Amino acid sequence: GIQVEQSPPDLILQEGANSTLRCNFSDSVNNLQWFHQNPWGQLINLFYIPSGTKQNGRLSATTVATERYSLLYISSSQTTDSGVYFCAVGTLRRANSKLTFGKGITLSVRP
Amino acid sequence: DGGITQSPKYLFRKEGQNVTLSCEQNLNHDAMYWYRQDPGQGLRLIYYSQIVNDFQKGDIAEGYSVSREKKESFPLTVTSAQKNPTAFYLCASQQTSGSFVPFFGPGTRLTVL
């Protein structure tokens, strides 16, 4: 199956700092998503980004499908950005659309 | 309000007992999924269902069972055959066309004593 590696595993930032989170994957995909899990366990989709670049406020993401990696950028970090960031990949088929998740990156933003 | 709910939030069971986790959605999504999350780990797929009365095993289905009798509901039973059931369980639902973004429930934290 597809392997997903995220780096770094842990990240500590001072409020206001910028950061880059990386996701490498082992095979061709046409479904790549970034999620944020808050400290209470709730997962929220941040981006559906199988290729190209998207921005949403202070967050942006870029996927280079041909080189099998994706980057999530967080600018001007806030304490509410703390939590775990997951990259998940898959191949969209009519029969199923399973996602394979990486182990996540734990981000702590300190005031 | 449309959404996906899981109950209970915390569940304690004695070793050897079966336990059923509830997952309900009113988003009119066809597909539903069960994931298991262990500390420091990503989500691992247990079972998924693309349509009522049909479901498929995921990567770690051993010791678990599911049913999909209604579009809105996808309960997960953790059986006594599951060797290490203590974990955080997440349910998700998704459209099967148009949008490929899953919506997650709040999770159930199961502790087997």
Side-chain angles (χ1 to χ4, degrees), chain A residues 36-59:
Chain A
H36 174 241
Q37 185 174 40
N38 69 19
W40 298 272
Q42 181 70 57
L43 262 89
I44 300 293
N45 176 273
L46 298 174
F47 293 102
Y48 166 73
I49 184 164
S51 64
T53 298
K54 288 186 178 179
Q55 182 160 4
N56 185 2
R58 296 181 296 103
L59 302 182

Side-chain angles (χ1 to χ4, degrees), chain A residues 31 33 35 37 40-45 47-48 84 86 92-104, chain B residues 9 33 35 37 40-43 45 48 50 56-59 88 90 94-95 100-102 104-107 109:
Chain A
N31 184 0
Q33 302 189 35
F35 296 87
Q37 185 174 40
W40 298 272
Q42 181 70 57
L43 262 89
I44 300 293
N45 176 273
F47 293 102
Y48 166 73
V84 184
F86 290 102
L92 295 172
R93 300 191 186 97
R94 189 162 54 89
N96 70 74
S97 57
K98 297 187 296 180
L99 288 171
T100 299
F101 283 75
K103 292 187 176 182
Chain B
K9 190 169 182 62
Y33 304 81
Y35 292 92
Q37 185 178 18
Q41 300 295 315
L43 279 65
L45 184 63
Y48 63 102
Q50 301 283 106
Q56 287 78 41
K57 293 182 179 180
D59 301 318
F88 187 52
L90 285 156
Q94 182 182 319
Q95 294 178 6
F100 305 107
V101 173
F104 282 85
R109 194 167 298 279

Side-chain angles (χ1 to χ4, degrees), chain B residues 53-110:
Chain B
N53 292 323
D54 188 40
F55 49 83
Q56 287 78 41
K57 293 182 179 180
D59 301 318
I60 56 165
E62 185 175 351
Y64 299 97
S65 66
V66 293
S67 63
R68 187 86 186 278
E69 297 176 1
K70 298 187 300 182
K71 187 175 185 177
E72 301 79 17
S73 178
F74 192 39
L76 173 74
T77 296
V78 184
T79 74
S80 56
Q82 168 50 234
K83 294 180 181 178
N84 187 16
T86 295
F88 187 52
Y89 291 87
L90 285 156
C91 179
S93 70
Q94 182 182 319
Q95 294 178 6
T96 52
S97 63
S99 170
F100 305 107
V101 173
F103 286 75
F104 282 85
T108 292
R109 194 167 298 279
L110 173 64

Side-chain angles (χ1 to χ4, degrees), chain B residues 4-9 11 19-25 32-34 70 72-78 89-92 105-108:
Chain B
I4 179 166
T5 59
Q6 293 184 243
S7 61
K9 190 169 182 62
L11 191 54
V19 60
T20 297
L21 281 58
S22 168
C23 178
E24 304 276 335
Q25 55 98 2
M32 296 187 74
Y33 304 81
W34 273 106
K70 298 187 300 182
E72 301 79 17
S73 178
F74 192 39
L76 173 74
T77 296
V78 184
Y89 291 87
L90 285 156
C91 179
T108 292

Side-chain angles (χ1 to χ4, degrees), chain A residues 7 20-24 32 34 47 49 52 54 60-64 69-73:
Chain A
S7 60
T20 301
L21 286 60
R22 186 176 181 101
C23 171
N24 292 333
L32 188 146
W34 284 95
F47 293 102
I49 184 164
K54 288 186 178 179
S60 63
T62 295
T63 297
V64 184
Y69 74 88
S70 182
L71 302 173
L72 178 69
Y73 305 96

